[in-house]
């Protein structure tokens, strides 16, 4: 006798479950977002969780996000990079959010020590997922007031 697997209903999963498209993502996301302002050279680190962190899920490197997610209302942020819980970097040239093993000659994830050196390195794709621990972003429009962020903490 075959047993059919059913998709659990939303009511049986509890409150800390997120649906993106047709994918089920258990738990709530939390990230450290490092925001830099290229005009002034200032940088700050902000921890985002719950609903603010969910704004980043499914986005890719190069996408823009409203600054309100990190407390910088009136600004627009561009996602420039990041890393997962194990320190593996996100690469803009790798699709998806899964791990890939690439033979690299340089760039994000590997800095060769001599000419012609290549190395197989595990990296993560460009899509932001629950496995990401840190997201790097830069201000592309608006006025970033980093002093207001540090006063709240």
């Amino acid at each position: 006798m075959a047993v059919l697997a059913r998709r659990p209903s939303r009511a049986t999963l509890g409150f800390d479950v997120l649906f993106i498209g047709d994918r089920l993502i258990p738990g709530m996301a939390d990230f450290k977002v490092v925001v830099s302002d290229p005009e002034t050279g200032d940088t700050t680190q902000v921890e985002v969780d719950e609903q603010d962190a969910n704004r980043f899920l499914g986005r890719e490197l190069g996408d823009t996000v409203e600054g309100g997610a990190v407390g910088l209302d009136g600004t627009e942020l561009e996602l420039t990079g990041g890393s997962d819980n194990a320190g593996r970097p996100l690469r803009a040239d790798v699709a998806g959010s899964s791990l890939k093993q690439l033979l690299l000659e340089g760039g994000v994830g590997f800095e060769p020590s001599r000419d012609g050196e290549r190395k197989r390195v595990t990296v993560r794709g460009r899509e932001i997922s629950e496995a990401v621990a840190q997201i790097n972003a830069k201000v592309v429009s608006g006025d970033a007031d980093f002093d207001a962020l540090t006063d709240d903490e």
Side-chain angles (χ1 to χ4, degrees):
M1 181 180 331
V3 177
L4 298 175
R6 288 186 14 218
R7 180 178 173 194
S9 69
R10 292 179 191 220
T12 61
L13 294 174
F15 291 106
D16 47 339
V17 172
L18 175 69
F19 283 93
I20 295 181
D22 199 27
R23 296 181 307 180
L24 169 70
I25 300 176
M28 297 294 265
D30 60 330
F31 304 113
K32 291 182 181 177
V33 179
V34 178
V35 182
S36 65
D37 188 357
E39 292 180 10
T40 63
D42 292 338
T43 303
T44 189
Q45 181 174 331
V46 180
E47 291 193 28
V48 294
D49 56 357
E50 298 178 5
Q51 209 52 27
D52 290 332
N54 291 337
R55 294 183 194 181
F56 292 98
L57 290 176
R59 302 289 177 105
E60 294 184 347
L61 298 183
D63 289 352
T64 57
V65 179
E66 291 181 18
V70 295
L72 295 172
D73 295 326
T75 62
E76 192 170 326
L77 306 175
E78 179 184 347
L79 304 179
T80 58
S83 61
D84 66 4
N85 295 328
R88 293 180 286 253
L90 275 63
R91 279 188 64 107
D93 57 349
V94 177
S97 64
S98 61
L99 294 174
K100 304 282 184 188
Q101 290 187 343
L102 304 177
L103 186 62
L104 299 179
E105 296 177 345
V108 175
F110 176 60
E111 187 67 37
S113 59
R114 62 183 191 276
D115 288 341
E117 182 179 9
R118 298 187 307 172
K119 184 177 180 182
R120 188 159 307 278
V121 178
T122 303
V123 296
R124 191 165 287 280
R126 64 179 166 253
E127 185 178 332
I128 306 295
S129 68
E130 287 251 339
V132 173
Q134 176 182 319
I135 301 171
N136 303 333
K138 70 177 181 179
V139 177
V140 291
S141 68
D143 185 27
D145 184 19
F146 292 148
D147 295 332
L149 291 177
T150 56
D151 291 341
D152 292 341
E153 296 176 3

